[in-house]
Each structure stands twice: as structure tokens, then as C-alpha cells.
Amino acid sequence: MDLISRISHHFTESAHLKLQAVDVLAAPIADAAERVVQCLLADGKILACGNGGSAADAQHFSAEMLNRFEMERPGLAAIALTTDASTLTSIANDYDFDQIFSKQIRALGHSGDLLLAISTSGNSRNVIQAVNAAHDRGMNVIALTGRGGGQMVEILMPGDIHLCAPGDRTAHTQEIHITAIHCLCDAIDCLLLGVE
């Protein structure tokens, strides 16, 4: 097995997919940034959720918002619903794992807030229930998916924004997701701070 060639192929394939993603994602990322800024300026907050690597992405996004991305600024209101082990395990134990995010959204989400729902397949049952709970609370959704968006596409509402990564490999979808999150954070800062 030639590991160098295999690694080179991974980099090349990832780079090609990211270049394809620019045409598909640039405009909806810009729309999402504007929506986030509108939410924050109206004293709203962003709730973020996902499973596995997508949970890490939700936490990454929240950290970039609460602390800072690349420029100094006050913290921005964002909560990763993936970080409280006691809450997650109690909901999963007492009710069902599919409700670990939706119960938090019903408690913490308000009309005018936003949900960043991350699922590489678009089929994560607990993320789908989170989207439904957000809609019930009068929240719009920014859905970050792959593989055509899966079942999540069927429940998105007209006011929601769908960012769907091209490609079929989970690893490459996650690589596009983190780039999209960084672009989103940069665009938010540009809109708030007036950076060219």
C-alpha cells in the first residue's frame, strides 16, 4: 500500500470538492451570515447541534462566536447543545436519545433565535427533531448537511437556509462543513465590524 499516494489523493479530492462547493455554498453562506447578524442585533441567540464530528463542529462554531474568530470583538450569543453531559444523558435515559436537542430547544429557544442544525447525512433523527422543535418555537434554521440533505430537506421551511456540501464521503463533507463555518464566522464579523 502506498500511503503517500493515498494521502495525496485525499488532499486532492478534498480540494476539488471544496472548489465545487464554492459555487453551491457562497450565496447561502452569505444569506446565513446576514440572518445571524439580524438575529444577534435583535438580542437573539444561535443554538447549534449535531452528532459526532458534527457535535464538535457545533461546539467549534459556538466557541468562535462566544470568544472571537479572527478579530477582536465582544462575544456573540451562541450555545452548543452538545456540551452538557448531565443534560444529554438524563434526557437520553429518561426519554429518548432522539430528544436530546429538541428538549433543550423547547426550554432555551425563543422566537427570533436561530438553530444551526448539522448533519452530514441530513438523516440524524435527533437533529431532525431539533429542527421541528425550533420551528415550533418560532425559530428559523440554518441546516448544514451533505448527500443531498437527506430527510432534513423535507422539513425545512421557506425561511430556513440550507447549506448542502457536495460529495458522498462523510470525511469530505465534514471538511467542507468546517470551511463553511469559518466562512460564516468571517462574514458575520465583516457585517458587524465593517471589514472589507
Side-chain angles (χ1 to χ4, degrees):
M1 176 188 311
D2 181 1
L3 286 180
I4 301 300
S5 294
R6 188 173 181 88
I7 291 165
S8 296
H9 177 73
H10 186 88
F11 269 91
T12 302
E13 187 179 1
S14 178
H16 285 304
L17 282 170
K18 283 184 180 179
L19 290 174
Q20 289 175 25
V22 171
D23 295 332
V24 176
L25 296 179
I29 290 171
D31 292 343
E34 290 176 355
R35 188 74 58 80
V36 168
V37 168
Q38 291 168 0
C39 170
L40 295 170
L41 292 176
D43 289 327
K45 62 188 170 297
I46 317 305
L47 304 177
C49 67
N51 297 293
S54 298
D57 288 344
Q59 291 169 220
H60 188 139
F61 172 78
S62 177
E64 304 287 24
M65 298 288 285
L66 286 165
N67 184 27
R68 67 182 181 98
F69 181 54
E70 293 183 325
M71 295 179 273
E72 293 299 326
R73 58 153 165 74
L76 303 174
I79 302 169
L81 303 177
T82 57
T83 60
D84 185 341
S86 295
T87 295
L88 295 172
T89 56
S90 68
I91 294 169
N93 183 63
D94 293 350
Y95 296 94
D96 188 89
F97 187 76
D98 291 354
Q99 297 183 48
I100 61 171
F101 303 132
S102 60
K103 284 189 70 72
Q104 293 184 75
I105 290 166
R106 292 184 200 290
L108 300 171
H110 298 285
S111 179
D113 291 343
L114 287 171
L115 173 66
L116 176 61
I118 309 171
S119 172
T120 58
S121 67
N123 295 322
S124 301
R125 291 188 310 270
N126 55 7
V127 178
I128 288 171
Q129 286 201 24
V131 170
N132 288 327
H135 290 152
D136 290 347
R137 297 293 289 159
M139 299 167 58
N140 284 124
V141 175
I142 299 169
L144 193 52
T145 69
R147 297 187 189 143
Q151 296 170 15
M152 202 179 305
V153 170
E154 300 168 14
I155 61 169
L156 293 177
M157 308 274 275
D160 297 335
I161 297 172
H162 186 203
L163 308 173
C164 185
D168 295 323
R169 290 185 58 191
T170 299
H172 291 317
T173 298
Q174 291 173 329
E175 291 160 7
I176 292 169
H177 281 184
I178 197 60
T179 301
I181 287 169
H182 283 161
C183 290
L184 179 60
C185 291
D186 179 70
I188 291 164
D189 280 359
C190 287
L191 289 170
L192 288 173
L193 302 173
V195 176
E196 292 292 324

